[in-house]
Structure formats: structure tokens, C-alpha cells
Amino acid sequence: MKKLSVFIVLVLLLCLCTVPAYAESGIISKRINFKNPGFIKGMDVSSVISLEKSGVKFYNEAGESEDIFELLSDHGVNYIRVRVWNNPFDKDGNGYGGGNNDVKTACEIGRRAALYGMKLSVDFHYSDFWADPGKQKAPKAWENLSFDDKERALYDYTYNSLKEIKSAGADIGMVQIGNETTLGICGENEWQNMARLFNSGASAVRAFDKNILVAVHFTNPEMTDTIKWLADTLDENKVDYDVFATSYYPYWHGSLANLTDVLSYAAEKYGKYALVAETSYANTLADTDGHPNTVAQGSNDKGENLLWDFSVQGQADELSAVMNAVNNVKNGKGLGVFYWEGAWITVGDTTSLSGDEYSNRVLKNKKLWESFGSGWASPFSGEFDPDDAGKWYGGSAVDNQAFFDSSGKALASLDIFKMVSTDVLNGDSNGDNKLNIRDSTAIRKYIAKLRTLDSCGLRAADFNADGEISVSDATSIQFFISSR
Ligand code: CA
């Protein structure tokens, strides 16, 4: 009997002796040699105040409740982006949703980001709700103004908003003049007028603080000729700006090599910085709030540029690959990457619910979305955007692209912001900056599932660099220590 037990233990040990490096308790990633020491590893968390008002809390890996901005900063996020709408409310004060992000919300986000040493990028949509290639509607208050008056209003609004956001305590580092303005801005689609509005915004930023970077933001980098034409057109129309930015969603926007190429065009020809202002990737195809997701089974889940699994590791890999693509922009002009809405999780978890339980939870969620603006759009947005938001309003379409699970706990993928800049001492599995017998023990315990390793520990644990964490890493460390 005793012999049999020993045999079983031996077989179990053999089965356990190799675990894949892509482990649940952490992520594996390479360090990127950033050419720009201040490379932006940023995140857009525009919806986060409305989530908190809806009762959402965020937790670190140990399950302790923590301020979301502290959590992000601790994990290596160094810049926060926030969208700003002029007046996302109806005349009765009901919010359109999407965080109801007016200047007041930007003040709160900027103030809290600065408490943890993170700069703020202010993304003016110059609209009362979502602006993108399909929509560039002027705010309600500006729609009947003459063009000259609108140009002045845009200048004043930019200047006064920045003053308010800075007074709240924000450390403003960059300002976007418009959001995804490929086909227009603020109700204008003729370049002569567009250029005047870009310059009106830019001159307000320059007058406010000449150290703030001025960014212009486009999308569809896969339309290579269009992007290059935009860079030329900005130049021909003498638009004053520092940063040429694009969105990059890999299911729509072409290859990473093409991304580097189109961003290098404005960098080489016009000396501009290059930025990915938005990217994201799904860590699962499941939904957790009862509102369909952008990336789901049968929706944006297939394509030649979706190079990564829909997993926590895949999410980290995508962001690291996009950072790498921007870092590869010619002449060292790669400025950084913002992950879009990396904290827009559910306000009420519908996972594993069905029937009445599911419907009741979704009804509760709808109330939260509409009361606090924590969904992408509320029914009140219909007065401003009847054809899209007014029809399809609801919750979060990106809860499966956040760096937090549905309970608000940080996923291992959040480590990627730090991992891309961190040198790990090879073998230092327990993270005490020393290589000794304790690291060998940590690996053995990890393999036996008696302890976890964080992402840096996992990277270090693959001592022999064969892509796996196995007993041979532990024995190699012991051999290395005894022979030095
Ligand atoms: Ca959803």
C-alpha cells in the first residue's frame, strides 16, 4: 500500500512537473526598448465616475478595494485620457450616457489622476455626444451660430474648459482638437472650415499653456492613402499641431506593420509625433452586463489581424504589440498608446444568470445606466442622436475588453503596462531582486500549485528560457547558484 502511494505521488509529480508559461496567475511579456523615455502607456477611463456612482468598486489582485487611479498608477499606467462633451444632457438634466462626460467630469478624472502622478489628455469632441467618422454634430448651443461665431465659441470653450480642468488639480499634458475627425469636425466637413476650427482649438491651447501638446485624431489607418492625404492636407491648410493620432482596433484597422508605416509618414515628412489614441482587445467573448459587446461570438471575432487569443494573455499581447508598433515609428517619433476604456465593466453581473433572474438583473442595470450615465447611451440621447444612440442605447459594449473582471478585480493583463518597461532579474521568481535557493523553492511550489507568482515572477521563473516553467528551471537555478 505504501509503495502504491509513493507511486501515485510520483506520477502526480511527473504530471505536474511542467506547466505552460501562459499561466492563469500572471502574464508573460517581453520588455520593449522604448526610444522615447516618456513613452505614453495610457488608459482612457472616461466612464469611471459614472461607474462609481452606479456602485462599482475596483480591487487589486489580492482582493483589496483600492482607488482605481491608484491601481492604474501602481500597475504602470502613466497617462489618463478623458473625453469631453459640451453638454451631454437634455433640458431636464437627464444625461445622454457614456459617462455623461462634461467638463465637470473631466475635472474629477484629471484631479484624481494627478494625485497618483498621471498626466491628462483632454479629448474634446466639440459635440454634445459621441463624435466619430459617422458623426460630427455641433453642440446644441452652437448649431445656429454663423461659422465665425462657432470658431470663436470653440476657442473660448477650449480655453475656459482647460482653465477649469487645471484649476481642479489636473496635470494636462495633451489636448485633442476633435475626436476621430477623418471626415469632419463640429458640423463642418469642408477642409477650409475644418482647418480653421483645428487652428482655433490649437491657438486656445497654445494661449493657455505652450507646453501642452496639441493632437489631431483620425481613424481607419488601414486606409493608407487617406491617412497620408490627411497629413498632407493638414500641412497644406497650415494646421498647427504636434501629434498625429489614430485609433487602432485590430478587427477593423489593418496590420501593425501598416500602422507603423502610416504613422511614420507624418513623422518623417512633417516631424510630427505619432500616437495611437485608442486601442483595445477582448479578453473573452462573454458578456457580463446584458448589453451586447462589440467583440463577441460572430461579431468582430475573426480576421487576419486578430493575432492573439481572446484571453487575458491575448489582451496583454495585443497592447504590447501596438506599443511596439508605435515605438517602431521612424525618427523616434512614437509618442505612446492609450488603451480605450480599460475599466468599463458591468454595473451588475449577469454572468450565469438565466430566465427571470437574468431579465431582472438587466432591468436593474438599465436603471443604473440611465440614472448615472454608466451605459454607452441612454434613451435621453435620442433627442441629439436619434438614428443610432436613440435606437440602440444600453450598457457597456466593451466590458470584455476591460482590465478588470466583472467583480472589479484587476486581471493579470493589467501588469502589461509595467511589464513592457521592466527588466526582470532572470530566475528571481519571488521578486526580491536576489537570485538564490528561495527562487528555486518558489518555482517548485508554483508547479505544485502551493503558491502563485506575479507576472514579473513568471517571466523570471523561465530561467532556461524554453517558454515553460518546469522543474528544470528550479534545478538549473540550484546548479547556477552552487557553481558561482
Ligand atoms: Ca456588454
Side-chain angles (χ1 to χ4, degrees):
M1 190 64 193
K2 199 179 171 193
K3 268 186 187 167
L4 185 64
S5 306
V6 170
F7 177 71
I8 289 170
V9 167
L10 274 175
V11 168
L12 273 174
L13 276 176
L14 275 173
C15 293
L16 289 170
C17 73
T18 299
V19 292
Y22 284 47
E24 282 174 15
S25 53
I27 52 157
I28 296 286
S29 171
K30 287 196 182 115
R31 184 183 186 282
I32 299 174
N33 291 312
F34 290 110
K35 294 170 195 165
N36 177 346
F39 194 87
I40 293 172
K41 290 163 281 178
M43 199 190 289
D44 189 318
V45 289
S46 296
S47 63
V48 80
I49 305 297
S50 67
L51 288 175
E52 290 177 344
K53 286 179 182 166
S54 303
V56 170
K57 287 190 162 60
F58 294 92
Y59 304 87
N60 62 24
E61 291 87 340
E64 294 150 349
S65 174
E66 213 174 305
D67 185 282
I68 173 88
F69 292 92
E70 184 175 16
L71 257 169
L72 296 177
S73 172
D74 282 353
H75 283 79
V77 175
N78 61 9
Y79 228 109
I80 294 293
R81 178 177 185 257
V82 64
R83 62 176 165 271
V84 180
W85 292 314
N86 290 45
N87 180 22
F89 297 92
D90 71 11
K91 60 178 172 13
D92 300 318
N94 298 304
Y96 292 170
N100 296 340
N101 275 54
D102 55 4
V103 172
K104 201 171 141 231
T105 309
C107 287
E108 178 64 1
I109 288 180
R111 180 187 72 80
R112 284 174 59 188
L115 286 179
Y116 299 101
M118 294 181 287
K119 281 182 179 276
L120 189 73
S121 177
V122 180
D123 169 22
F124 287 117
H125 284 222
Y126 299 118
S127 185
D128 286 339
F129 209 36
W130 299 106
D132 57 40
K135 305 170 193 171
Q136 291 289 340
K137 192 174 171 182
K140 296 181 285 289
W142 298 358
E143 64 188 349
N144 295 320
L145 297 182
S146 68
F147 180 77
D148 286 354
D149 285 347
K150 182 157 75 176
E151 187 184 28
R152 265 190 294 274
L154 192 147
Y155 179 99
D156 292 342
Y157 173 77
T158 304
Y159 189 94
N160 293 333
S161 300
L162 293 177
K163 201 171 157 190
E164 205 177 327
I165 295 167
K166 189 181 178 183
S167 300
D171 181 8
I172 305 168
M174 182 166 22
V175 173
Q176 266 188 234
I177 310 301
N179 189 74
E180 295 192 334
T181 53
T182 310
L183 299 173
I185 178 170
C186 196
E188 303 295 329
N189 55 20
E190 298 289 339
W191 260 93
Q192 207 183 352
N193 284 354
M194 287 171 67
R196 279 175 62 184
L197 293 184
F198 284 126
N199 277 332
S200 176
S203 56
V205 177
R206 305 289 190 212
F208 177 72
D209 180 347
K210 61 179 170 36
N211 294 315
I212 294 176
L213 292 170
V214 173
V216 286
H217 174 208
F218 305 102
T219 186
N220 298 95
E222 82 287 4
M223 293 163 66
T224 310
D225 291 344
T226 303
I227 294 292
K228 292 178 179 177
W229 177 85
L230 283 165
D232 292 338
T233 305
L234 288 163
D235 184 67
E236 282 159 19
N237 286 279
K238 299 188 170 51
V239 173
D240 171 29
Y241 72 103
D242 308 303
V243 183
F244 189 96
T246 183
S247 298
Y248 178 76
Y249 295 104
Y251 37 91
W252 295 325
H253 291 156
S255 71
L256 289 166
N258 180 67
L259 177 67
T260 303
D261 180 51
V262 295
L263 288 175
S264 292
Y265 184 79
E268 281 193 299
K269 197 166 174 188
Y270 302 112
K272 305 299 181 183
Y273 286 115
L275 176 80
V276 165
E278 299 181 12
T279 190
S280 67
Y281 204 74
N283 56 57
T284 170
L285 292 178
D287 171 57
T288 57
D289 75 342
H291 179 82
N293 290 336
T294 307
V295 179
Q297 200 83 48
S299 168
N300 298 314
D301 63 336
K302 289 194 172 58
E304 58 181 350
N305 296 306
L306 302 184
L307 307 175
W308 314 276
D309 294 336
F310 294 118
S311 65
V312 171
Q313 178 67 51
Q315 180 187 27
D317 287 342
E318 190 265 354
L319 180 54
S320 142
V322 175
M323 286 184 186
N324 201 47
V326 175
N327 190 46
N328 287 339
V329 166
K330 298 274 172 62
N331 295 355
K333 288 290 187 179
L335 186 66
V337 176
F338 285 94
Y339 193 92
W340 192 71
E341 286 283 12
W344 202 347
I345 58 170
T346 179
V347 296
D349 199 350
T350 57
T351 310
S352 74
L353 300 182
S354 60
D356 285 351
E357 272 190 324
Y358 178 85
S359 310
N360 289 338
R361 184 65 252 185
V362 176
L363 274 177
K364 279 186 193 166
N365 288 357
K366 276 184 177 165
K367 280 198 181 128
L368 293 168
W369 298 335
E370 287 166 22
S371 302
F372 302 107
S374 47
W376 85 272
S378 78
F380 308 112
S381 66
E383 66 166 33
F384 189 74
D385 179 14
D387 297 332
D388 186 19
K391 273 187 190 156
W392 308 107
Y393 59 84
S396 172
V398 291
D399 47 287
N400 62 337
Q401 302 191 47
F403 286 97
F404 299 86
D405 70 14
S406 55
S407 74
K409 191 173 167 188
L411 297 173
S413 44
L414 189 57
D415 290 340
I416 193 65
F417 290 88
K418 191 169 270 180
M419 294 275 284
V420 290
S421 301
T422 305
D423 272 325
V424 175
L425 172 64
N426 194 21
D428 178 23
S429 312
N430 66 359
D432 64 357
N433 294 318
K434 292 176 208 144
L435 181 61
N436 56 30
I437 191 70
R438 287 186 180 155
D439 298 302
S440 173
T441 309
I443 291 172
R444 288 177 195 279
K445 283 189 173 170
Y446 169 73
I447 291 167
K449 297 193 192 300
L450 296 171
R451 67 163 286 167
T452 57
L453 299 175
D454 68 12
S455 296
C456 290
L458 286 169
R459 184 198 283 178
D462 182 18
F463 188 67
N464 61 13
D466 65 353
E468 288 175 326
I469 299 167
S470 66
V471 166
S472 73
D473 293 306
T475 50
S476 300
I477 288 173
Q478 281 167 272
F479 182 77
F480 179 80
I481 294 164
S482 62
S483 63
R484 72 179 171 182

